[in-house]
Every structure is written in C-alpha cells, then in structure tokens.
C-alpha cells in the first residue's frame, strides 16, 4: 500500500485531485496548475478516491484544458478553500476512519506551492495538432504549460503522443 494525497489545485479553476506521495509536485506541473496544496494524506489509492468523489460533489475534479491554455487563472486562496470544503466531507472522513482506522487519513497543514510556466503568449483560440491526422506540424513555440506545447499554429498535448517517434528541426 502506498500513501496518496488528496489535493486542491488551480488549473483553469479550483480542482480536487489525487496522486501518489511521490508525484507531488510533478502531478500539478503535468496538469498545468499554477498552485497546488495537499490537504489530506491517506493510506491507499482507494481511500483517496473515496474522498475525491465526495469533494467532487462541491468542486471540479477535471481541468478545462482550453481555459488552462488561454490564460493563467487568478490566484486562489487554497488554504481557505480547504477549510471550507473539509467540513462538507467530515462525515465521509469519519466513516472511512471507522472502517480503515484512525490513521487512514491525516489532515495536513501545508503551504501552497506556486508554479509558473514559460509562456510568452497564450493563444486566444485553441486549435489542437494531431500527429495521426497531420504528421508534419510547424510553428513557432510560444510556450509550454503542463503537458502542452503552445505553438503559434496550435497546441500539442505531448502526453497523447508519448510513444510516438518525433523529429524536431529549427530554422536557425
């Protein structure tokens, strides 16, 4: 069993998520979050999922990737939001502790992790490049945010093409 964290992040808006203890802050960076805050440390992936489902009744558990790429969201007071949200799921936390033990969930008191990305210009309109439909993509790199390369001709979700062999050339 591997410890997991339940976290709040600021991607395109406030979001709840879960990740293994070894993936903070990597998970937030991959998602393009500008802020991250672990709020609970739990004993198993299953327990983190149970809590995420409860929190997702109150806030998003997915990122609006188009909004994420168009701008950096305004900073969110994640600590305050956690203090507002945790009482809403207190009954579920008590239920989980009763079933899995008092040490199954630890409420954390962490600092917000700010994150930034090298983006010179956010796109105003999002067009996705797809190597399956267009094997040759060209453009000027304007930034990198999370798993996205932002070109002046569109964006590429690098994760989507993980196993692809890609050749890059520049006009220097």
């Amino acid at each position: 069993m591997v410890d997991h964290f339940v976290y709040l992040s600021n991607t395109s808006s406030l979001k709840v998520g879960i990740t293994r203890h070894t993936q903070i802050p990597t998970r937030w960076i991959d998602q393009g979050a500008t802020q991250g805050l672990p709020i609970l440390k739990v004993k198993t992936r299953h327990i983190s999922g149970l809590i995420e489902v409860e929190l997702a009744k109150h806030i998003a558990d997915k990122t609006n990737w188009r909004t994420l790429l168009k701008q950096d969201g305004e900073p969110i007071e994640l600590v305050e939001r956690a203090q507002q949200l945790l009482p809403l799921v207190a009954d579920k936390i008590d239920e989980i502790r009763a079933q899995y033990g008092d040490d199954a969930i630890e409420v954390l008191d962490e600092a917000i992790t700010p994150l930034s990305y090298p983006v010179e210009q956010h796109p105003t309109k999002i067009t996705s490049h797809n190597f399956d439909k267009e094997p040759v993509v060209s453009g000027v790199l304007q930034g990198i945010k999370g798993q996205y390369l932002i070109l002046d001709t569109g964006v590429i979700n690098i994760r989507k093409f993980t196993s692809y062999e890609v050749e890059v050339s520049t006009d220097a």
Side-chain angles (χ1 to χ4, degrees):
M1 289 192 238
V2 177
D3 288 343
H4 276 66
F5 286 100
V6 178
Y7 64 83
L8 298 179
S9 64
N10 182 358
T11 54
S12 57
S13 62
L14 181 64
K15 173 191 172 308
V16 62
I18 59 177
T19 192
R20 290 184 310 276
H21 71 290
T22 57
Q23 290 302 110
I24 288 184
T26 305
R27 180 76 175 134
W28 301 330
I29 294 167
D30 188 48
Q31 292 178 339
T34 53
Q35 297 172 284
L37 176 70
I39 59 172
L40 299 170
K41 181 179 177 182
V42 302
K43 292 287 183 189
T44 67
R45 163 67 179 83
H46 176 71
I47 293 171
S48 67
L50 294 173
I51 296 170
E52 181 187 34
V53 166
E54 289 302 307
L55 286 167
K57 293 175 181 175
H58 306 283
I59 61 172
D61 63 348
K62 294 190 175 20
T63 299
N64 181 329
W65 65 275
R66 291 180 183 279
T67 303
L68 167 83
L69 293 173
K70 287 183 179 180
Q71 64 188 5
D72 284 338
E74 292 297 317
I76 298 173
E77 293 298 330
L78 295 179
V79 174
E80 288 177 17
R81 294 305 306 268
Q83 291 169 348
Q84 295 165 356
L85 289 164
L86 286 175
L88 301 176
V89 297
D91 288 346
K92 186 63 171 182
I93 289 173
D94 290 343
E95 178 185 314
I96 292 168
R97 284 182 171 147
Q99 184 175 358
Y100 297 98
D102 286 339
D103 65 342
I105 300 172
E106 178 185 348
V107 177
L108 300 174
D109 182 19
E110 301 283 324
I112 295 170
T113 300
L115 301 160
S116 61
Y117 303 88
V119 178
E120 291 181 11
Q121 184 173 342
H122 289 90
T124 54
K125 181 181 178 200
I126 304 295
T127 304
S128 295
H129 291 297
N130 183 331
F131 292 131
D132 294 329
K133 295 178 181 174
E134 53 179 325
V136 177
V137 173
S138 63
V140 175
L141 181 64
Q142 295 181 319
I144 301 171
K145 190 166 186 186
Q147 59 194 8
Y148 295 92
L149 293 180
I150 302 170
L151 305 172
D152 63 346
T153 58
V155 300
I156 301 171
N157 180 339
I158 293 300
R159 275 289 163 113
K160 182 176 180 178
F161 302 105
T162 298
S163 65
Y164 287 55
E165 186 173 326
V166 177
E167 184 178 311
V168 177
S169 61
T170 62
D171 295 334

Short mmCIF file of all heavy atoms in Angstrom, two decimals, residues 114-150:
data_model
loop_
_atom_site.label_atom_id
_atom_site.label_comp_id
_atom_site.label_asym_id
_atom_site.label_seq_id
_atom_site.Cartn_x
_atom_site.Cartn_y
_atom_site.Cartn_z
N PRO A 114 3.40 27.49 -5.37
CA PRO A 114 3.13 28.25 -6.60
C PRO A 114 3.94 27.64 -7.75
O PRO A 114 5.07 27.19 -7.56
CB PRO A 114 3.62 29.65 -6.27
CG PRO A 114 4.69 29.45 -5.24
CD PRO A 114 4.33 28.18 -4.49
N LEU A 115 3.37 27.65 -8.95
CA LEU A 115 4.03 27.10 -10.13
C LEU A 115 3.87 28.08 -11.28
O LEU A 115 2.86 28.77 -11.39
CB LEU A 115 3.39 25.75 -10.51
CG LEU A 115 3.45 24.68 -9.43
CD1 LEU A 115 2.42 23.60 -9.68
CD2 LEU A 115 4.84 24.09 -9.36
N SER A 116 4.89 28.14 -12.14
CA SER A 116 4.80 29.00 -13.31
C SER A 116 5.39 28.27 -14.51
O SER A 116 6.13 27.30 -14.36
CB SER A 116 5.53 30.33 -13.07
OG SER A 116 6.90 30.10 -12.83
N TYR A 117 5.05 28.76 -15.68
CA TYR A 117 5.41 28.08 -16.92
C TYR A 117 5.98 29.10 -17.91
O TYR A 117 5.58 30.26 -17.92
CB TYR A 117 4.17 27.40 -17.53
CG TYR A 117 3.56 26.43 -16.56
CD1 TYR A 117 2.61 26.85 -15.63
CD2 TYR A 117 3.98 25.11 -16.51
CE1 TYR A 117 2.09 25.97 -14.69
CE2 TYR A 117 3.46 24.23 -15.58
CZ TYR A 117 2.52 24.67 -14.67
OH TYR A 117 2.01 23.81 -13.74
N PRO A 118 6.88 28.64 -18.78
CA PRO A 118 7.46 29.54 -19.77
C PRO A 118 6.52 29.77 -20.96
O PRO A 118 6.60 29.10 -21.98
CB PRO A 118 8.74 28.81 -20.20
CG PRO A 118 8.40 27.35 -20.02
CD PRO A 118 7.47 27.29 -18.83
N VAL A 119 5.59 30.69 -20.78
CA VAL A 119 4.64 31.01 -21.84
C VAL A 119 4.82 32.47 -22.22
O VAL A 119 4.60 33.36 -21.40
CB VAL A 119 3.17 30.75 -21.40
CG1 VAL A 119 2.21 31.15 -22.52
CG2 VAL A 119 2.98 29.29 -21.02
N GLU A 120 5.25 32.71 -23.46
CA GLU A 120 5.40 34.09 -23.94
C GLU A 120 4.07 34.67 -24.36
O GLU A 120 3.83 35.85 -24.21
CB GLU A 120 6.40 34.14 -25.10
CG GLU A 120 7.82 33.85 -24.67
CD GLU A 120 8.81 33.92 -25.82
OE1 GLU A 120 8.44 34.39 -26.92
OE2 GLU A 120 9.96 33.48 -25.61
N GLN A 121 3.21 33.81 -24.93
CA GLN A 121 1.91 34.29 -25.39
C GLN A 121 0.91 33.16 -25.30
O GLN A 121 1.13 32.08 -25.85
CB GLN A 121 2.00 34.81 -26.83
CG GLN A 121 0.70 35.39 -27.32
CD GLN A 121 0.86 36.04 -28.69
OE1 GLN A 121 1.96 36.34 -29.13
NE2 GLN A 121 -0.25 36.24 -29.37
N HIS A 122 -0.21 33.41 -24.60
CA HIS A 122 -1.30 32.44 -24.52
C HIS A 122 -2.14 32.55 -25.80
O HIS A 122 -2.38 33.65 -26.28
CB HIS A 122 -2.19 32.70 -23.31
CG HIS A 122 -1.53 32.38 -22.01
ND1 HIS A 122 -0.80 33.30 -21.30
CD2 HIS A 122 -1.49 31.24 -21.29
CE1 HIS A 122 -0.35 32.74 -20.20
NE2 HIS A 122 -0.74 31.49 -20.17
N PRO A 123 -2.59 31.44 -26.34
CA PRO A 123 -3.44 31.50 -27.54
C PRO A 123 -4.82 32.07 -27.22
O PRO A 123 -5.33 31.88 -26.12
CB PRO A 123 -3.54 30.04 -27.98
CG PRO A 123 -3.25 29.24 -26.76
CD PRO A 123 -2.35 30.07 -25.90
N THR A 124 -5.40 32.76 -28.17
CA THR A 124 -6.76 33.27 -27.99
C THR A 124 -7.78 32.25 -28.47
O THR A 124 -8.88 32.18 -27.96
CB THR A 124 -6.96 34.60 -28.74
OG1 THR A 124 -6.61 34.41 -30.11
CG2 THR A 124 -6.11 35.69 -28.13
N LYS A 125 -7.38 31.46 -29.46
CA LYS A 125 -8.23 30.37 -29.97
C LYS A 125 -7.41 29.09 -29.90
O LYS A 125 -6.24 29.08 -30.27
CB LYS A 125 -8.65 30.65 -31.42
CG LYS A 125 -9.55 29.60 -31.99
CD LYS A 125 -9.92 29.89 -33.43
CE LYS A 125 -10.79 28.75 -33.94
NZ LYS A 125 -10.80 28.68 -35.38
N ILE A 126 -8.03 28.04 -29.41
CA ILE A 126 -7.31 26.78 -29.25
C ILE A 126 -7.57 25.86 -30.44
O ILE A 126 -8.71 25.50 -30.73
CB ILE A 126 -7.74 26.05 -27.96
CG1 ILE A 126 -7.56 26.95 -26.72
CG2 ILE A 126 -6.98 24.74 -27.80
CD1 ILE A 126 -6.15 27.33 -26.40
N THR A 127 -6.50 25.50 -31.11
CA THR A 127 -6.53 24.52 -32.18
C THR A 127 -5.54 23.42 -31.80
O THR A 127 -4.39 23.73 -31.48
CB THR A 127 -6.11 25.14 -33.53
OG1 THR A 127 -6.94 26.26 -33.80
CG2 THR A 127 -6.20 24.14 -34.65
N SER A 128 -5.98 22.19 -31.82
CA SER A 128 -5.11 21.07 -31.45
C SER A 128 -4.47 20.44 -32.67
O SER A 128 -5.15 20.20 -33.67
CB SER A 128 -5.91 19.99 -30.72
OG SER A 128 -6.39 20.45 -29.51
N HIS A 129 -3.17 20.19 -32.57
CA HIS A 129 -2.48 19.41 -33.60
C HIS A 129 -2.58 17.94 -33.24
O HIS A 129 -2.51 17.58 -32.07
CB HIS A 129 -1.01 19.82 -33.70
CG HIS A 129 -0.78 21.17 -34.26
ND1 HIS A 129 -1.15 21.52 -35.54
CD2 HIS A 129 -0.21 22.29 -33.72
CE1 HIS A 129 -0.81 22.78 -35.77
NE2 HIS A 129 -0.25 23.26 -34.67
N ASN A 130 -2.72 17.10 -34.25
CA ASN A 130 -2.83 15.67 -34.03
C ASN A 130 -1.92 14.97 -35.04
O ASN A 130 -2.17 15.04 -36.25
CB ASN A 130 -4.28 15.23 -34.22
CG ASN A 130 -4.49 13.77 -33.95
OD1 ASN A 130 -3.60 12.94 -34.12
ND2 ASN A 130 -5.70 13.42 -33.53
N PHE A 131 -0.87 14.32 -34.56
CA PHE A 131 0.09 13.68 -35.45
C PHE A 131 -0.53 12.56 -36.29
O PHE A 131 -0.01 12.21 -37.34
CB PHE A 131 1.28 13.13 -34.66
CG PHE A 131 2.15 14.20 -34.06
CD1 PHE A 131 2.53 14.13 -32.73
CD2 PHE A 131 2.61 15.26 -34.82
CE1 PHE A 131 3.34 15.11 -32.17
CE2 PHE A 131 3.42 16.24 -34.28
CZ PHE A 131 3.78 16.16 -32.94
N ASP A 132 -1.65 12.00 -35.84
CA ASP A 132 -2.31 10.96 -36.63
C ASP A 132 -2.97 11.55 -37.88
O ASP A 132 -3.08 10.89 -38.90
CB ASP A 132 -3.38 10.25 -35.79
CG ASP A 132 -2.77 9.46 -34.65
OD1 ASP A 132 -1.63 8.97 -34.81
OD2 ASP A 132 -3.43 9.33 -33.60
N LYS A 133 -3.42 12.79 -37.77
CA LYS A 133 -4.10 13.45 -38.90
C LYS A 133 -3.16 14.34 -39.71
O LYS A 133 -3.37 14.53 -40.90
CB LYS A 133 -5.27 14.29 -38.38
CG LYS A 133 -6.36 13.45 -37.76
CD LYS A 133 -7.47 14.31 -37.22
CE LYS A 133 -8.55 13.45 -36.57
NZ LYS A 133 -9.56 14.25 -35.91
N GLU A 134 -2.17 14.90 -39.06
CA GLU A 134 -1.18 15.75 -39.74
C GLU A 134 0.21 15.40 -39.20
O GLU A 134 0.63 15.88 -38.16
CB GLU A 134 -1.51 17.23 -39.53
CG GLU A 134 -1.68 17.64 -38.07
CD GLU A 134 -1.97 19.12 -37.88
OE1 GLU A 134 -1.47 19.96 -38.63
OE2 GLU A 134 -2.71 19.42 -36.94
N PRO A 135 0.92 14.53 -39.93
CA PRO A 135 2.22 14.06 -39.43
C PRO A 135 3.30 15.13 -39.38
O PRO A 135 4.28 14.97 -38.67
CB PRO A 135 2.59 12.94 -40.40
CG PRO A 135 1.75 13.15 -41.60
CD PRO A 135 0.54 13.90 -41.18
N VAL A 136 3.10 16.23 -40.11
CA VAL A 136 4.08 17.32 -40.08
C VAL A 136 3.40 18.54 -39.48
O VAL A 136 2.38 19.01 -39.98
CB VAL A 136 4.62 17.65 -41.49
CG1 VAL A 136 5.58 18.84 -41.42
CG2 VAL A 136 5.31 16.44 -42.08
N VAL A 137 3.97 19.02 -38.39
CA VAL A 137 3.45 20.21 -37.71
C VAL A 137 4.56 21.24 -37.69
O VAL A 137 5.71 20.93 -37.41
CB VAL A 137 3.02 19.87 -36.26
CG1 VAL A 137 2.65 21.12 -35.50
CG2 VAL A 137 1.87 18.88 -36.27
N SER A 138 4.21 22.48 -38.02
CA SER A 138 5.20 23.54 -37.94
C SER A 138 4.61 24.72 -37.19
O SER A 138 3.39 24.85 -37.06
CB SER A 138 5.65 23.97 -39.34
OG SER A 138 4.56 24.51 -40.05
N GLY A 139 5.48 25.56 -36.70
CA GLY A 139 5.05 26.75 -35.97
C GLY A 139 6.14 27.25 -35.06
O GLY A 139 7.18 26.60 -34.89
N VAL A 140 5.88 28.39 -34.47
CA VAL A 140 6.82 29.00 -33.53
C VAL A 140 6.38 28.64 -32.12
O VAL A 140 5.22 28.85 -31.74
CB VAL A 140 6.85 30.54 -33.70
CG1 VAL A 140 7.74 31.19 -32.66
CG2 VAL A 140 7.31 30.89 -35.11
N LEU A 141 7.29 28.07 -31.34
CA LEU A 141 7.00 27.71 -29.97
C LEU A 141 6.80 28.98 -29.14
O LEU A 141 7.69 29.82 -29.07
CB LEU A 141 8.12 26.86 -29.37
CG LEU A 141 7.91 26.38 -27.93
CD1 LEU A 141 6.71 25.44 -27.85
CD2 LEU A 141 9.17 25.68 -27.44
N GLN A 142 5.61 29.12 -28.55
CA GLN A 142 5.31 30.31 -27.75
C GLN A 142 5.24 29.99 -26.26
O GLN A 142 5.17 30.90 -25.44
CB GLN A 142 3.98 30.92 -28.21
CG GLN A 142 4.05 31.45 -29.62
CD GLN A 142 2.76 32.08 -30.06
OE1 GLN A 142 1.68 31.58 -29.80
NE2 GLN A 142 2.87 33.21 -30.76
N GLY A 143 5.27 28.71 -25.93
CA GLY A 143 5.26 28.37 -24.52
C GLY A 143 5.04 26.90 -24.27
O GLY A 143 4.71 26.12 -25.17
N ILE A 144 5.23 26.54 -23.02
CA ILE A 144 4.97 25.19 -22.54
C ILE A 144 4.18 25.35 -21.25
O ILE A 144 4.58 26.08 -20.35
CB ILE A 144 6.28 24.42 -22.25
CG1 ILE A 144 7.13 24.33 -23.51
CG2 ILE A 144 5.97 23.04 -21.67
CD1 ILE A 144 8.53 23.79 -23.27
N LYS A 145 3.04 24.69 -21.18
CA LYS A 145 2.24 24.72 -19.97
C LYS A 145 1.74 23.32 -19.70
O LYS A 145 0.96 22.77 -20.48
CB LYS A 145 1.08 25.70 -20.09
CG LYS A 145 0.38 25.93 -18.76
CD LYS A 145 -0.53 27.12 -18.80
CE LYS A 145 -1.10 27.40 -17.43
NZ LYS A 145 -2.09 28.46 -17.47
N GLY A 146 2.21 22.74 -18.61
CA GLY A 146 1.84 21.37 -18.30
C GLY A 146 2.29 20.45 -19.41
O GLY A 146 3.43 20.51 -19.86
N GLN A 147 1.38 19.64 -19.89
CA GLN A 147 1.71 18.67 -20.93
C GLN A 147 1.51 19.22 -22.33
O GLN A 147 1.53 18.47 -23.30
CB GLN A 147 0.88 17.40 -20.73
CG GLN A 147 -0.61 17.63 -20.78
CD GLN A 147 -1.38 16.43 -20.25
OE1 GLN A 147 -0.82 15.49 -19.71
NE2 GLN A 147 -2.69 16.47 -20.41
N TYR A 148 1.36 20.53 -22.46
CA TYR A 148 1.06 21.15 -23.75
C TYR A 148 2.21 22.00 -24.27
O TYR A 148 2.77 22.82 -23.54
CB TYR A 148 -0.19 22.03 -23.65
CG TYR A 148 -1.43 21.25 -23.33
CD1 TYR A 148 -1.84 21.07 -22.01
CD2 TYR A 148 -2.19 20.67 -24.34
CE1 TYR A 148 -2.97 20.34 -21.71
CE2 TYR A 148 -3.32 19.93 -24.04
CZ TYR A 148 -3.70 19.77 -22.73
OH TYR A 148 -4.82 19.04 -22.44
N LEU A 149 2.53 21.81 -25.55
CA LEU A 149 3.40 22.73 -26.27
C LEU A 149 2.48 23.72 -26.96
O LEU A 149 1.55 23.32 -27.67
CB LEU A 149 4.24 22.00 -27.32
CG LEU A 149 5.29 21.02 -26.82
CD1 LEU A 149 6.01 20.39 -28.01
CD2 LEU A 149 6.27 21.68 -25.89
N ILE A 150 2.74 25.00 -26.76
CA ILE A 150 1.90 26.04 -27.37
C ILE A 150 2.68 26.64 -28.53
O ILE A 150 3.73 27.26 -28.34
CB ILE A 150 1.55 27.13 -26.33
CG1 ILE A 150 0.82 26.51 -25.13
CG2 ILE A 150 0.70 28.22 -26.98
CD1 ILE A 150 0.64 27.45 -23.95
#
